[in-house]
Amino acid sequence: MGHVTLRIYDTASRTLRDFVPLTEGRASVYLCGATVQSVPHIGHVRSGVAFDILRNWLEASGLEVTFVRNVTDIDDKILAKAAENGRPWWEWAATHEREFTRAYDLLGVTPPSVEPRATGHVPQMVDYIRRIIDAGHGYAVDGSVYCEPTTIDDYGSLSGQRLDELDQGEQTVAGKRDPRDFAMWKAAKPGEPAWDTPWGRGRPGWHIECSAMATTYLGAEFDIHCGGLDLQFPHHENEQAQAHAAGDPFARYWMHNGWVTMSGEKMSKSLGNVLSVPNVLTQVRPVELRYYLGSGHYRSMLEYSEGALQEAAAGYRRIEAFLDRAVRVVGTVDRGTWPEAFGAAMDDDLAVPQALAVLHDVVRAGNRALEQGDHATVADLAGQVRAMAAVLGVDPLSPRWAGDAGGSTQALEALDVLVRAELDRRAEARARKDFATADAVRDRLRAAGVTVTDTPDGAEWSLDG
């Protein structure tokens, strides 16, 4: 493997580019993780799923991946939320960080190689700010330190913002040389957490946190920086500006995922409660939510509706049902290799919708082979299905999801014994041409949510979603 033919859409150049890693055989990825101020909603965790698929594909292509996903555990929003709720800011942040970790785990997102917290990297930030000031791109005033975009040659190149139309969304502060300058360090206000620096006590600005953490773990230059589209400006633009100001080449490729929207609107706070991960998991299983969040192209907007969610869940269950039947017929199914068309789709900027189309074509062919009793073909196609589903993180037979059929493996085995006894009764009744009894068995099973399918090898059963 090792040879990568992946092409990714690079936000900075606005073109599809061949992915050529900085170091042969390795890929380094930084993902802007959560600002841990609330319970995660499905919009928050979409990037976790989308770039987990990227990581899987890089690894499947034979690369060793170092994957850094940070936690923003101090910023204005966290301080405001904690104060509103009368809780210490650090406890508020830690509580929600655990909620995010739980959501990622439930959705089968591989834990990052390292998960740095902003509060743990203040010395690195101070060092970075000092380099930027020394290079002539920043200045201190009254204990705060600002970065000056007008002094940085390629400022605006990532987001397409023009300096003459720029608004950083920051307050006008006395002593700032230019309203477009943004804070790298904020002077302490009474009652706020603060750290000692050469410029006085204070706390970090949001953008410097990521510039410092990314380069601490991945070096001055690394392969891919990912995050949500809403972070492109000002966050990522300012991260890159600071790095370039300090003399670091920083990210070679930028990837941005689209939002989860609801009837065209970006999710607001009230929708955030409705679409919190725990709430959505009352409607579908975790693997089905994962399938849904990963099913659209990562750059497209994912229009949420209950119908779309249920449709995705049904799509996953078709894969699951085929593999369950295949295992019953041929015994163990090992992961095989994916068809060329699947690889081509994934290499084309992770075109998951096209990759899923290939996967479902193979499932349909597998179901035909089951009906024809062609066991060799069933085993081969099931192996292909497992390989494809594994890349997308939704292989029903993986230890991660096995027994996730709404119950434990033990319960399913007990159910199998009972259902098989019913199916034997049905087979005997049919042999006696007693179709009334045979149909009654089938109806009783259907009422219990069990679907019966007749195959050349006898009747098979599966649980309805």
Side-chain angles (χ1 to χ4, degrees):
M1 302 295 270
H3 172 64
V4 186
T5 49
L6 169 64
R7 304 184 74 209
I8 56 184
Y9 182 84
D10 169 35
T11 311
S13 64
R14 291 163 189 68
T15 56
L16 273 171
R17 291 174 56 204
D18 289 344
F19 177 62
V20 183
L22 190 60
T23 309
E24 202 177 336
R26 307 181 74 101
S28 45
V29 183
Y30 185 87
L31 169 60
C32 269
T35 296
V36 287
Q37 52 153 330
S38 61
V39 174
H41 61 57
I42 59 174
H44 289 135
V45 292
R46 184 186 183 191
S47 69
V49 171
F51 297 117
D52 192 44
I53 293 172
L54 167 71
R55 180 187 191 166
N56 290 348
W57 187 241
L58 291 170
E59 286 178 350
S61 309
L63 297 176
E64 201 178 312
V65 181
T66 307
F67 195 98
V68 179
R69 186 185 69 216
N70 74 299
V71 174
T72 297
D73 61 346
I74 176 123
D75 90 328
D76 297 344
K77 292 176 191 159
I78 292 168
L79 297 179
K81 280 273 176 69
E84 248 171 69
N85 289 276
R87 308 254 290 275
W89 67 272
W90 44 265
E91 184 260 357
W92 186 259
T95 301
H96 293 102
E97 183 183 334
R98 279 193 297 276
E99 292 276 346
F100 267 88
T101 300
R102 187 163 174 272
Y104 289 132
D105 287 348
L106 279 169
L107 295 177
V109 173
T110 310
S113 314
V114 66
E115 192 164 24
R117 293 189 187 94
T119 51
H121 295 77
V122 171
Q124 290 90 332
M125 295 176 213
V126 169
D127 186 49
Y128 220 82
I129 293 169
R130 189 183 277 122
R131 285 165 56 194
I132 292 167
I133 293 175
D134 290 349
H137 300 294
Y139 60 93
V141 56
D142 299 334
S144 291
V145 187
Y146 297 96
C147 184
E148 302 180 90
T150 50
T151 67
I152 299 163
D153 288 345
D154 62 350
Y155 192 85
S157 64
L158 178 62
S159 61
Q161 294 279 339
R162 302 219 336 245
L163 266 171
D164 54 2
E165 296 166 356
L166 200 60
D167 177 8
Q168 291 285 0
E170 290 193 9
Q171 298 132 328
T172 318
V173 183
K176 225 169 153 180
R177 294 178 188 169
D178 186 309
R180 294 169 292 192
D181 298 347
F182 61 88
M184 295 189 287
W185 193 260
K186 301 180 175 192
K189 291 185 184 137
E192 283 190 349
W195 287 261
D196 285 319
T197 73
W199 313 285
R201 282 175 68 69
R203 60 186 174 90
W206 181 27
H207 317 306
I208 199 71
E209 295 178 345
C210 284
S211 301
M213 287 187 283
T215 52
T216 295
Y217 294 97
L218 299 177
E221 185 175 16
F222 57 92
D223 290 316
I224 302 172
H225 193 313
C226 331
L229 194 57
D230 47 332
L231 301 179
Q232 192 177 335
F233 183 85
H235 186 47
H236 290 163
E237 188 70 69
N238 290 349
E239 266 184 65
Q240 176 176 268
Q242 290 163 152
H244 290 180
D248 289 344
F250 211 54
R252 294 155 50 90
Y253 299 82
W254 287 86
M255 297 176 76
H256 289 95
N257 65 278
W259 297 316
V260 176
T261 59
M262 208 163 167
S263 50
E265 308 212 353
K266 193 177 163 223
M267 300 211 331
S268 67
K269 288 287 174 288
S270 57
L271 290 179
N273 299 334
V274 175
L275 298 185
S276 72
V277 172
N279 202 20
V280 176
L281 290 179
T282 60
Q283 299 175 57
V284 291
R285 293 179 286 160
V287 65
E288 291 164 349
L289 177 54
R290 157 123 194 176
Y291 180 96
Y292 167 68
L293 288 172
S295 60
H297 192 284
Y298 76 91
R299 285 199 286 131
S300 66
M301 296 298 163
L302 194 61
E303 173 76 46
Y304 176 82
S305 69
E306 216 162 302
L309 178 67
Q310 294 301 343
E311 198 178 310
Y316 171 77
R317 287 198 292 268
R318 282 197 290 277
I319 301 169
E320 185 180 42
F322 163 63
L323 287 175
D324 283 350
R325 289 174 65 196
V327 167
R328 275 191 224 132
V329 169
V330 302
T332 318
V333 171
D334 293 320
R335 276 184 198 161
T337 50
W338 49 80
E340 220 166 278
F342 177 87
M346 293 303 291
D347 274 339
D348 180 19
D349 194 33
L350 307 178
V352 173
Q354 286 75 4
L356 276 173
V358 175
L359 197 162
H360 282 287
D361 282 345
V362 176
V363 167
R364 277 190 288 276
N367 283 329
R368 281 197 298 277
L370 275 168
E371 277 153 31
Q372 290 154 5
D374 179 353
H375 292 188
T377 302
V378 169
D380 173 48
L381 296 179
Q384 292 182 35
V385 166
R386 281 203 69 187
M388 291 185 276
V391 166
L392 303 175
V394 294
D395 173 10
L397 299 181
S398 70
R400 179 77 196 74
W401 306 120
D404 184 35
S408 70
T409 315
Q410 206 177 346
L412 277 175
E413 282 165 4
L415 185 60
D416 188 52
V417 172
L418 297 172
V419 173
R420 295 245 164 244
E422 288 289 286
L423 292 177
D424 290 345
R425 276 191 54 208
R426 178 171 171 260
E428 283 161 22
R430 290 176 73 172
R432 294 194 310 270
K433 302 234 183 315
D434 175 1
F435 296 112
T437 302
D439 289 346
V441 170
R442 185 173 195 146
D443 292 343
R444 188 158 66 243
L445 288 172
R446 183 182 292 143
V450 174
T451 303
V452 178
T453 314
D454 289 305
T455 77
D457 302 297
E460 289 294 339
W461 68 270
S462 60
L463 281 175
D464 293 347

